[in-house]
Amino acid sequence: MEFAELIKTPRVDNVVLHRPFYPAVEGTLCLTGHHLILSSRQDNTEELWLLHSNIDAIDKRFVGSLGTIIIKCKDFRIIQLDIPGMEECLNIASSIEALSTLDSITLMYPFFYRPMFEVIEDGWHSFLPEQEFELYSSATSEWRLSYVNKDFAVCASYPPIVTVPKSIDDEALRKVATFRHGGRFPVLSYYHKKNGMVIMRSGQPLTGTNGRRCKEDEKLINATLRAGKRGYIIDTRSLNVAQQARAKGGGFEQEAHYPQWRRIHKSIERYHILQESLIKLVEACNDQTHNMDRWLSKLEASNWLTHIKEILTAACLAAQCIDREGASILIHGTEGTDSTLQVTSLAQIILEPRSRTIRGFEALIEREWLQAGHPFQQRCAQSAYCNTKQKWEAPVFLLFLDCVWQILRQFPCSFEFNENFLIMLFEHAYASQFGTFLGNNESERCKLKLQQKTMSLWSWVNQPGELSQFTNPLFEANNLVIWPSVAPQSLPLWEGIFLRWNRSSKYLDEAYEEMVNIIEYNKELQAKVNILRRQLAELETEDGMQESP
C-alpha cells in the first residue's frame, strides 16, 4: 500500500492552528505518510509536527465554507485546525483518520525513521539478560539462566532467556509451564543482596474446579525458600475473583499443596475499569467550568488516585516481605502481564537503589515490562479520547509511571532521573519514532525484526546531550530502602501529565527551571567557598611554619 493513496489533499494553505493558552497561528498544513505538519511564515513561531500514531480521535465541525477539525491526542493534547473550504476539510479529516489507524505495524513510523544523531550505543543490546544476571550471580550460586524458551515454544510471552533456580531442570520447567496461565512458569524477578530473598512472578496456576496440582511447580517455588523459612504468595486479585477463576480453569495455590507459603490477596483493578478511570480523569481535567466542589467530586469519581494507592500498597507489602520479614515472594494475578509487573517493578524501586538511576530504571523497563511480556501494542493502542473502545486497552504502564512519580515526589533526592524522564516514557509508549514499545512481547518483536529495522529508544535517550534534560539536579545516591507513604493526602494528581497543556503547568515548568538555576548557582558558590577555605588553611599552615622556632 502506498501512503499517497490515503492522502486525498496533501497540502492546504491559510490553515489556523488553535491551542489552549497559546496565540493562534496561521500557516500551511501538510500531510505526509506519518506526520501532520503545520508551518507558519511568521517569525519565532514553532512548527507543529504531530505523529499520526499520536492521534486518538478527531471531530469535525462546519460553519459555512469554513471547516474545523479538533484533534485529540494520546498524550492528552487537544488542538484545533480551521481549514478554509469544506472539501479540503473533509479530505484532510478522512486522511488523518486513515493514517492514524493503520492496521500493519510495519507501516508505522519506526520502520521509516532514520536517526539524525550519531548512534554511539545500540540500545537493543544495552540490557541483555546475561548482563543483568551477572549483577547478582556473584552474590549467589543458587540460580541459573535457562534457554528452555529460546524458540518461544514453552511460553509465547516470555523472552528466550529466563532466570530460574539451579536445582530445577528444563524438563521440569516445561511441565510447570503447562500448569501456569499462558505457560508463564515462575521466574526470578529480583534478588535482594542484603538477605538473599527473591521476588518471583508467574501466571495463575491452572488448578480448576478439580483442584489440579503439579508437583514440579511446588518443587520450583519451594526451591526459593531457605531452610525453616516461609514465603508469601501475593495474588493481585480479590479472593472472590480468584475463586471465580477456578470455574474457567484458573485458580490459586492450595494451602495443602503449598504449606510453606501464605497467600495474600491485594486486589488491583484491570482492563476496562482502568480505561474508564482514565477517561473520567482526563474529562475532568479538560473541563474549565468546574467550581472547586465539582472538580474534587469528579476527581474522586474517576478513582484514578484510588488505583494509585492500591498499586503502591501492594508494592510496599511486597518490599516489606522481602526486607523486613526476610521472606521470598511469588507475585501473580491472572495472566501475570499487567498488575503483576506493576508490583514487581515498584517493589524493586523501593528496595533497590540501582532502579532509581537512569540506566537502572531503563534496565527495569526492559526486564520487567518489555521482556516480561506486557502487551504494549494492545494496551496503548488507544488513550482517553477514542470512541471505539476495544477490550484490551488499559493505562497499566501510565499507572506504573504515575506511581513512580509519587515516590519521586516524596523522595526528590533519591532518583537520578526527573519528571521529564517519566513523561518521555509515557509519550513514547503511545506514539514514537523508535521501535522499543512496538509489539506485545519478545516473540512478536523478533518476527518483526525490530532490532534490524528500527532504532531503540535507549540509543537516543542515553546520548550525553539528551541525558541532561532527564537528569535530576537534586540527586544524591541513597543506598537505603525507601518507604513511600500511601496515605490519601500523600498522593496528589500528577499535574505534569494531566494538566501540562494548561497554562498552570507552563508556570510550573518555569518555576522548576528557576529552582534548578538556583541550585546550580548555590553549587558554584559552595565550590568557591571550599576553594577559599583550602587557600585560608594553606596560609595558616605557612604562617605557623614561619612562626615556629
Side-chain angles (χ1 to χ4, degrees):
M1 183 199 73
E2 295 291 335
F3 289 114
E5 298 172 13
L6 302 177
I7 303 174
K8 297 179 180 179
T9 301
R11 169 176 170 161
V12 180
D13 292 320
N14 304 316
V15 175
V16 180
L17 167 67
H18 300 274
R19 292 174 291 179
F21 308 110
Y22 286 89
V25 177
E26 182 177 342
T28 299
L29 178 69
C30 298
L31 289 184
T32 71
H34 297 103
H35 287 92
L36 179 154
I37 306 167
L38 189 130
S39 179
S40 172
R41 295 177 181 175
Q42 300 172 20
D43 293 335
N44 302 319
T45 301
E46 184 181 352
E47 287 187 328
L48 172 69
W49 284 69
L50 182 66
L51 273 173
H52 295 313
S53 58
N54 193 11
I55 296 174
D56 206 27
I58 67 171
D59 296 327
K60 302 181 289 290
R61 292 201 303 257
F62 296 96
V63 179
S65 62
L66 179 67
T68 295
I69 298 177
I70 298 173
I71 298 176
K72 300 178 179 180
C73 303
K74 293 176 182 176
D75 60 7
F76 311 139
R77 254 184 302 180
I78 297 179
I79 61 177
Q80 176 181 319
L81 298 173
D82 292 341
I83 301 174
M86 183 178 294
E87 183 180 352
E88 286 82 357
C89 182
L90 287 171
N91 286 344
I92 292 292
S94 64
S95 298
I96 292 173
E97 286 176 335
L99 292 166
S100 62
T101 55
L102 295 173
D103 291 331
S104 175
I105 295 179
T106 56
L107 293 176
M108 299 182 78
Y109 187 46
F111 287 91
F112 297 83
Y113 171 72
R114 295 296 175 264
M116 302 296 288
F117 58 89
E118 181 184 359
V119 180
I120 301 173
E121 172 187 353
D122 181 4
W124 291 114
H125 297 94
S126 294
F127 307 104
L128 299 176
E130 296 91 340
Q131 297 169 348
E132 294 296 304
F133 180 74
E134 287 177 6
L135 293 176
Y136 51 80
S137 60
S138 59
T140 177
S141 59
E142 299 171 353
W143 299 86
R144 69 179 181 92
L145 290 176
S146 171
Y147 299 82
V148 68
N149 199 45
K150 62 182 179 181
D151 54 1
F152 305 105
V154 176
C155 177
S157 61
Y158 268 175
I161 307 171
V162 292
T163 305
V164 296
K166 184 176 282 188
S167 59
I168 306 299
D169 61 30
D170 284 354
E171 186 56 36
L173 294 178
R174 292 187 181 93
K175 292 179 180 178
V176 176
T178 64
F179 180 69
R180 292 279 172 174
H181 188 108
R184 294 177 68 88
F185 55 89
V187 297
L188 180 68
S189 174
Y190 171 68
Y191 179 86
H192 196 46
K193 291 183 179 180
K194 176 181 174 182
N195 57 14
M197 298 300 104
V198 299
I199 298 176
M200 302 271 284
R201 51 175 161 78
S202 70
Q204 67 174 337
L206 304 178
T207 55
T209 53
N210 296 325
R212 180 187 170 206
R213 68 183 294 192
C214 175
K215 291 188 177 180
E216 288 82 6
D217 185 83
E218 296 161 21
K219 181 181 178 183
L220 192 161
I221 70 168
N222 283 334
T224 67
L225 297 178
R226 300 282 174 85
K229 288 281 189 179
R230 290 175 60 87
Y232 292 91
I233 297 172
I234 298 178
D235 193 323
T236 60
R237 306 165 294 179
S238 67
L239 177 58
N240 186 43
V241 170
Q243 289 174 335
Q244 290 174 358
R246 296 174 63 184
K248 300 177 182 178
F252 50 86
E253 293 81 1
Q254 302 289 328
E255 287 84 349
H257 302 152
Y258 302 85
Q260 293 175 274
W261 294 81
R262 179 190 169 194
R263 194 177 71 251
I264 304 172
H265 291 270
K266 299 298 290 185
S267 177
I268 296 175
E269 295 291 357
R270 50 207 290 272
Y271 292 154
H272 68 278
I273 293 176
L274 299 181
Q275 189 69 12
E276 289 170 5
S277 177
L278 177 65
I279 292 168
K280 290 178 181 177
L281 176 61
V282 172
E283 181 185 341
C285 292
N286 288 338
D287 191 339
Q288 303 294 322
T289 65
H290 292 331
N291 58 31
M292 181 61 77
D293 289 343
R294 184 164 172 75
W295 156 247
L296 293 174
S297 175
K298 295 196 79 169
L299 177 60
E300 182 182 13
S302 73
N303 281 324
W304 185 264
L305 294 178
T306 300
H307 300 318
I308 296 292
K309 177 178 170 60
E310 289 172 349
I311 297 166
L312 280 173
T313 299
C316 287
L317 172 65
Q320 188 173 7
C321 290
I322 293 288
D323 189 68
R324 294 185 173 175
E325 298 288 329
S328 291
I329 56 176
L330 170 66
I331 302 175
H332 69 73
T334 302
E335 293 91 350
T337 57
D338 292 292
S339 57
T340 298
L341 306 183
Q342 289 173 329
V343 176
T344 59
S345 302
L346 290 167
Q348 291 178 57
I349 288 170
I350 293 169
L351 293 166
E352 176 57 53
R354 176 175 175 256
S355 295
R356 299 172 223 144
T357 65
I358 291 176
R359 292 193 70 89
F361 192 76
E362 292 171 354
L364 183 74
I365 299 297
E366 274 286 339
R367 185 178 66 249
E368 292 299 298
W369 289 88
L370 293 161
Q371 294 170 13
H374 177 66
F376 279 98
Q377 199 71 40
Q378 292 178 343
R379 299 291 181 267
C380 300
Q382 296 168 350
S383 186
Y385 297 120
C386 192
N387 297 320
T388 57
K389 293 303 168 193
Q390 299 175 10
K391 182 180 178 182
W392 305 112
E393 283 79 7
V396 177
F397 188 61
L398 175 56
L399 275 163
F400 161 70
L401 294 176
D402 198 330
C403 289
V404 176
W405 176 79
Q406 300 287 348
I407 304 175
L408 167 60
R409 180 182 167 275
Q410 294 183 29
F411 297 89
C413 299
S414 296
F415 289 80
E416 186 183 18
F417 53 86
N418 58 22
E419 179 186 27
N420 293 334
F421 187 64
L422 301 176
I423 294 173
M424 177 272 297
L425 290 172
F426 158 68
E427 291 176 338
H428 284 277
Y430 280 85
S432 179
Q433 67 268 44
F434 303 106
T436 300
F437 292 108
L438 291 181
N440 292 307
N441 49 55
E442 288 295 284
S443 175
E444 289 187 12
R445 294 183 190 104
C446 284
K447 290 175 184 175
L448 291 167
K449 297 182 179 179
L450 294 185
Q451 292 191 20
Q452 293 79 28
K453 296 183 177 182
T454 72
M455 179 67 56
S456 167
L457 173 64
W458 314 129
S459 297
W460 171 70
V461 170
N462 290 328
Q463 296 177 97
E466 298 296 336
L467 277 176
S468 59
Q469 65 178 309
F470 303 126
T471 302
N472 176 13
L474 301 176
F475 175 63
E476 290 184 10
N478 177 6
N479 292 322
L480 301 175
V481 175
I482 56 177
W483 297 103
S485 169
V486 296
Q489 57 267 40
S490 300
L491 305 175
L493 178 68
W494 188 5
E495 291 186 22
I497 283 287
F498 298 108
L499 299 176
R500 65 175 168 151
W501 304 114
N502 296 347
R503 184 179 291 274
S504 59
S505 64
K506 185 179 179 183
Y507 292 143
L508 285 172
D509 290 342
E510 292 174 356
Y512 178 79
E513 290 176 8
E514 184 66 25
M515 180 187 72
V516 170
N517 291 335
I518 292 171
I519 291 169
E520 293 300 325
Y521 179 67
N522 286 340
K523 284 182 178 179
E524 291 176 8
L525 280 179
Q526 187 62 49
K528 291 177 180 178
V529 168
N530 291 338
I531 292 171
L532 288 172
R533 283 176 175 168
R534 284 196 298 271
Q535 291 175 344
L536 183 60
E538 290 171 1
L539 286 172
E540 290 175 347
T541 302
E542 291 175 3
D543 290 344
M545 292 175 64
Q546 291 173 2
E547 292 174 2
S548 59

